Amino acid sequence: MFAGHIGVGLALGRAERRVNVGVFIAAALFLDLVLWLFVLLGWESVTLPADFASTHQAEFVFPYSHGLLAAVGWSAVAGSAAFVSYGRPGSSRLRVAGLLATAVFSHWLLDALVHRPELPLAGADSPQVGLGLWHDMPAALLVEAIIVVLGLCLFIPGCRLSRGRRAALTVLSLVVLVFTVVGMTIAPPPPSPRAMAASSCAVLVLVVALACGLAGPSRGAPA
Ligand SMILES: [Zn+2]
């Protein structure tokens, strides 16, 4: 899942408009960034099974990025980092920390919905969960599209961005949705797991940078 996480980031961005929504999007995508970095480092692995061209489902061993225990830990790290770095004192600081931790953890919940039972509860040898909605790919992509549209409908009305930036953020979200649909249906298999990890990393960084840039303060305008 890719675009669906952006939808959740947008929805959470509505709950705290003083924070750049790109930060919520980054938090919602964070576990995948960790995954692909760890694959490149050889700490986690992805395999392209023989039926990948028809299923578009890789097989993952990813206890440190996508284990339930790890997801709780990464959420706590993100929440703590937000609490320390967010400038405003008092309850809003705690609220931002809680929302960012929620964004990180939401990734695990959405992935558990679509992945086959391959998300470990703790270490690699622990029980694995996953509801496997990707076995019904049209339904999975419909759910993902609904999450993106809901996220946009929640965030865009009432946000403080210019019309141009609203449009660009909407287009970015929809482009990622199209990218997700193509990737899970008709895209050819990547040449190797490593190539898949490198290109996924690059795309994630690009999308997060674009979202943060589009939703950030305008040049010359007060933040
Ligand atoms: Zn993931």
Side-chain angles (χ1 to χ4, degrees):
M1 179 171 288
F2 186 2
H5 298 303
I6 293 181
V8 173
L10 288 166
L12 288 168
R14 179 190 171 117
E16 182 47 83
R17 298 226 185 249
R18 288 171 294 188
V19 174
N20 184 326
V21 73
V23 176
F24 286 111
I25 291 173
L29 289 168
F30 183 70
L31 296 188
D32 276 355
L33 193 59
V34 174
L35 162 67
W36 297 119
L37 281 175
F38 282 8
V39 169
L40 290 173
L41 289 167
W43 298 346
E44 294 192 327
S45 70
V46 55
T47 310
L48 302 174
D51 62 356
F52 183 87
S54 59
T55 66
H56 293 84
Q57 292 182 57
E59 290 172 0
F60 298 93
V61 178
F62 50 4
Y64 310 120
S65 63
H66 281 65
L68 175 58
L69 191 64
V72 170
W74 288 118
S75 305
V77 168
S80 305
F83 187 80
V84 169
S85 58
Y86 188 64
R88 292 169 200 266
S91 60
S92 61
R93 201 176 190 192
L94 200 58
R95 180 182 154 79
V96 167
L99 285 169
L100 276 167
T102 303
V104 172
F105 190 71
S106 72
H107 186 107
W108 192 88
L109 292 175
L110 283 191
D111 275 12
L113 174 68
V114 294
H115 279 253
R116 72 187 91 211
E118 63 181 349
L119 286 92
L121 295 181
D125 297 329
S126 65
Q128 299 179 331
V129 297
L131 295 174
L133 189 58
W134 272 339
H135 289 305
D136 185 352
M137 193 57 79
L141 293 173
L142 179 64
V143 167
E144 191 153 359
I146 289 171
I147 295 171
V148 174
V149 171
L150 277 177
L152 284 167
C153 289
L154 284 169
F155 179 76
I156 295 292
C159 73
R160 295 188 290 185
L161 302 177
S162 68
R163 271 173 71 175
R165 283 167 180 252
R166 289 177 191 210
L169 198 57
T170 303
V171 168
L172 175 66
S173 306
L174 296 178
V175 165
V176 172
L177 179 59
V178 170
F179 193 87
T180 305
V181 172
V182 169
M184 299 307 287
T185 52
I186 55 172
S192 70
R194 208 172 163 76
M196 186 182 190
S199 61
S200 299
C201 245
V203 169
L204 279 172
V205 169
L206 178 67
V207 167
V208 166
L210 282 171
C212 286
L214 288 170
S218 307
R219 208 169 284 210

